[in-house]
Amino acid sequence: MRWALIRVSVAVTAMVVLAFAVPLGLVVKELARDRALTNAERQAAAVAPALAITTDRTELARAVATAQAGGENRIALRIPATAHSAAVDLGRHRAPRAALDDASAHGEAATVRVAGGYALLRPTAVGTGTIAVVEVFVPEADVTRGVATAWLVLGAVGLGLIAGSVVVADRLGSRTIRPAVRLAGAARRLGEGDLAVRVPEAGPDELRSAAAAFNAMADQVVQLLANERELAADLSHRLRTPLTVLRLNTASLGESPAAEHTRAAVAQLEREVDQIIRSAREQRSGPAVPAGCDAAEVVRERMAFWSALAEDENREVRTAGADRPVRVPVARADLAAALDAMLGNVFRHTPEGTAFAVDVHEFDGAVILLVSDAGAGVADPAAALRRGHGDGGPGSTGLGLDIVRRVAESTGGDLAIGRGVLGGTELRIRLARTLPTPAPRPTHRRG
């Protein structure tokens, strides 16, 4: 898709460049030709005053020599003969004789294509009653002077525009494609059995919606698998009671081969049921697969609960950053418990009427939850964090901060206590977006 965007951009830009560059190049060529012919017209006009005064060959040769083109042997002059004067021919004629005769007979200027360039024929009336023809030769180099340079500049500008469009399309394409690539990779990893994979909700709105749907689907898959394991364990455990009754009844069957066979079958069935229960428990107690949740939704839900108590105690409440989805790799119940613990500290350790706020900040690799109040603050934050492990000393935060700390550290994040913008205590919990990779177990070799 990225290369498709680049190809489309190149094609569109190339068409625009051609649409403007080709007509502009032709205009430049025509302007150069008109400039050369206009200059030749001025050279021919410079000889006209001398023809109006005299037809003397010597005087006319002097007038032709004074013109710039005449000094370069590019002006020729032809005066037809009359009954009272002979014909006059000066310079080198390049135009065909028929073209000269036609210009003299009709008195109309003309431009004739000749070898090496163009010949400008300008008729001029003379005193003998005839029409003289001034011929000015315009070399091909004068007609095309500057055209090649202008075309090269236009070509360079066109190539620059095309290259610029490629760069812009590549940047825009990469920003659009990157979320789609991440989504495809996450779907592949989920299909391979990595139930912890989640996708950052970034990019265009459509891809953000797709990422949110994928994360919700992955959460549902994890929940369904957990429910299946629970159901398997429960159903297997229910079978143990009737199996116990069967085992006890087999004791009264005596010592016949059929009785032994029945007792062996019951024992085998008990072993199979125990194996099912152990397998379900091992899966349930194995490495935790975080279902993940929307932190913003949890904040809104818990704030709706605590706001009623805050209203009773005349506390001003503010919430920020919880108006859009913010995915975190923490189970919904665990995050709700951590948030309740932080908000509970506000109500327990600050007097009624003390304002508090909850802020959600989203970064590329982490989500920050801030719970701040306008109380007196914590005198020793480091000691408060140590008390969070549950030493039960005076003023201890008990198990509340320990719950918060364990939720944060389960994602590779942390918990910090400081002074907030409201002037009191600020509890900051950082939840990493990517779960920490377990350290590999060391392998011991026998010497």
Side-chain angles (χ1 to χ4, degrees):
M1 185 176 178
R2 183 176 179 180
W3 288 110
L5 291 175
I6 292 177
R7 287 194 294 269
V8 170
S9 177
V10 170
V12 172
T13 306
M15 287 189 293
V16 172
V17 168
L18 290 176
F20 284 93
V22 172
L24 189 58
L26 295 177
V27 168
V28 168
K29 180 179 179 180
E30 191 64 25
L31 288 176
R33 181 178 182 277
D34 291 342
R35 182 181 63 247
L37 295 179
T38 300
N39 183 57
E41 183 72 23
R42 287 197 300 267
Q43 299 293 326
V47 182
L51 289 171
I53 297 173
T54 180
T55 58
D56 182 69
R57 184 184 184 87
T58 303
E59 295 296 332
L60 292 176
R62 186 179 295 110
V64 169
T66 57
Q68 178 183 357
E72 298 173 356
N73 196 25
R74 292 193 289 109
I75 296 182
L77 179 63
R78 180 173 180 270
I79 303 176
T82 63
H84 304 288
S85 61
V88 177
D89 270 326
L90 292 176
R92 176 187 173 188
H93 290 284
R94 293 176 175 81
R97 185 176 185 84
L100 294 171
D101 294 339
D102 188 65
S104 178
H106 296 88
E108 295 178 355
T111 301
V112 182
R113 178 73 176 179
V114 296
Y118 295 86
L120 174 66
L121 305 180
R122 188 176 188 277
T124 303
V126 297
T128 58
T130 60
I131 296 179
V133 178
V134 179
E135 177 187 340
V136 180
F137 174 67
V138 182
E140 189 72 32
D142 290 352
V143 175
T144 60
R145 180 175 291 118
V147 174
T149 302
W151 284 3
L152 287 176
V153 172
L154 288 175
V157 171
L159 291 177
L161 290 174
I162 293 175
S165 70
V166 170
V167 174
V168 172
D170 181 72
R171 294 297 89 198
L172 294 177
S174 63
R175 290 181 58 186
T176 304
I177 298 305
R178 193 178 298 117
V181 173
R182 285 199 298 262
L183 183 59
R188 182 167 51 253
R189 290 170 57 190
L190 182 64
E192 293 171 353
D194 185 2
L195 300 181
V197 63
R198 296 297 182 271
V199 182
E201 297 175 9
D205 293 340
E206 295 80 4
L207 290 178
R208 289 176 66 92
S209 299
F214 175 86
N215 292 333
M217 177 194 68
D219 295 344
Q220 187 67 20
V221 169
V222 172
Q223 188 61 43
L224 289 175
L225 291 176
N227 292 340
E228 287 182 2
R229 289 194 295 268
E230 292 287 346
L231 181 60
D234 292 344
L235 292 177
S236 300
H237 191 271
R238 292 179 185 179
L239 291 176
R240 300 187 69 174
T241 299
L243 283 175
T244 301
V245 175
L246 288 176
R247 181 170 54 81
L248 293 176
N249 290 337
T250 57
S252 62
L253 295 179
E255 300 299 330
S256 65
E260 291 297 330
H261 182 74
T262 302
R263 282 192 287 269
V266 171
Q268 177 65 27
L269 186 56
E270 282 186 324
R271 286 193 296 271
E272 294 293 338
V273 171
D274 291 340
Q275 180 62 34
I276 293 175
I277 295 175
R278 282 194 298 271
S279 298
R281 286 176 175 174
E282 288 174 0
Q283 291 178 352
R284 188 168 50 195
S285 61
V289 179
C293 67
D294 182 358
E297 183 180 355
V298 174
V299 169
R300 293 194 301 267
E301 177 185 311
R302 301 317 301 157
M303 287 301 293
F305 170 81
W306 288 97
S307 294
L309 182 58
E311 184 177 356
D312 293 339
E313 296 187 359
N314 196 26
R315 295 175 182 267
E316 182 181 351
V317 181
R318 179 182 62 81
T319 305
D323 54 345
R324 53 192 172 85
V326 180
R327 300 292 307 182
V328 292
V330 179
R332 183 187 185 88
D334 294 342
L335 183 60
L339 188 59
D340 286 342
M342 292 190 290
L343 293 174
N345 280 341
V346 174
F347 282 83
R348 281 192 299 271
H349 299 291
T350 61
E352 294 186 7
T354 302
F356 67 94
V358 177
D359 298 273
V360 181
H361 299 282
E362 183 178 10
F363 301 96
D364 290 339
V367 173
I368 306 295
L369 295 180
L370 299 176
V371 177
S372 54
D373 60 60
V378 178
D380 190 351
L385 287 177
R386 286 196 299 273
R387 287 194 296 270
H389 289 276
D391 64 359
S396 172
T397 57
L399 296 178
L401 291 184
D402 190 55
I403 294 174
V404 178
R405 178 184 56 80
R406 284 188 285 106
V407 169
E409 291 178 353
S410 68
T411 69
D414 53 33
L415 170 66
I417 302 179
R419 182 72 66 173
V421 294
L422 297 181
T425 304
E426 179 182 82
L427 297 178
R428 181 186 66 85
I429 175 174
R430 182 175 64 88
L431 303 173
R433 289 288 186 85
T434 304
L435 293 177
T437 303
R441 296 181 180 179
T443 57
H444 302 281
R445 298 183 179 179
R446 296 181 179 180

